[in-house]
Amino acid sequence: QVQLVESGGGLVQPGGSLRLSCAASGIMFRMYAMGWYRQAPGKQRELVARIFSDGSPNYAESVKGRFTISRDNAKNTVYLQMNSLKSEDTAVYSCYAGRNGFDYWGQGTQVTVSS
């Protein structure tokens, strides 16, 4: 059974930082592309960042220079370090694992950026 369990969301002031974690089980983690998506109320889900099995990352333009995705294959965990947070980053952030057409999603964690 595949499980992706996110943690680290919460309320933060504009300009602040948060680190999201996603612990995976039930998959050969090191072989999967991992990513973070987000969905704000009334908006489409969008890709925030992903990191491929070789460790190469890519980012949405809106978060480049502020967010960093990383992975620890020994811990089966992917991270999203979010700095200089803005109100428009408020959303539910979901972890994603994908390989060869097999896609898995976590339940999501709320990130709220507000003063």
Side-chain angles (χ1 to χ4, degrees), residues 16-85:
S17 297
L18 282 176
R19 189 175 84 151
L20 304 183
S21 300
C22 171
S25 59
I27 59 172
M28 290 287 286
F29 181 84
R30 61 180 176 82
M31 299 181 73
Y32 276 71
M34 301 296 297
W36 291 94
Y37 284 71
R38 67 185 180 188
Q39 187 166 21
K43 293 190 175 182
Q44 298 255 11
R45 184 170 61 189
E46 62 173 353
L47 174 67
V48 176
R50 62 186 167 190
I51 185 166
F52 295 96
S53 57
D54 64 359
S56 58
N58 60 30
Y59 299 93
E61 284 296 323
S62 59
V63 306
K64 276 184 180 178
R66 300 189 297 123
F67 292 11
T68 303
I69 190 169
S70 61
R71 64 190 297 160
D72 185 337
N73 289 341
K75 295 183 178 180
N76 288 1
T77 300
V78 62
Y79 305 97
L80 186 67
Q81 178 66 44
M82 305 186 293
N83 298 329
S84 303
L85 282 159

Side-chain angles (χ1 to χ4, degrees), residues 1-6 22-27 76 95 97 104-106:
Q1 181 182 358
V2 178
Q3 283 192 309
L4 301 177
V5 180
E6 302 101 334
C22 171
S25 59
I27 59 172
N76 288 1
C95 179
Y104 304 100
W105 294 89

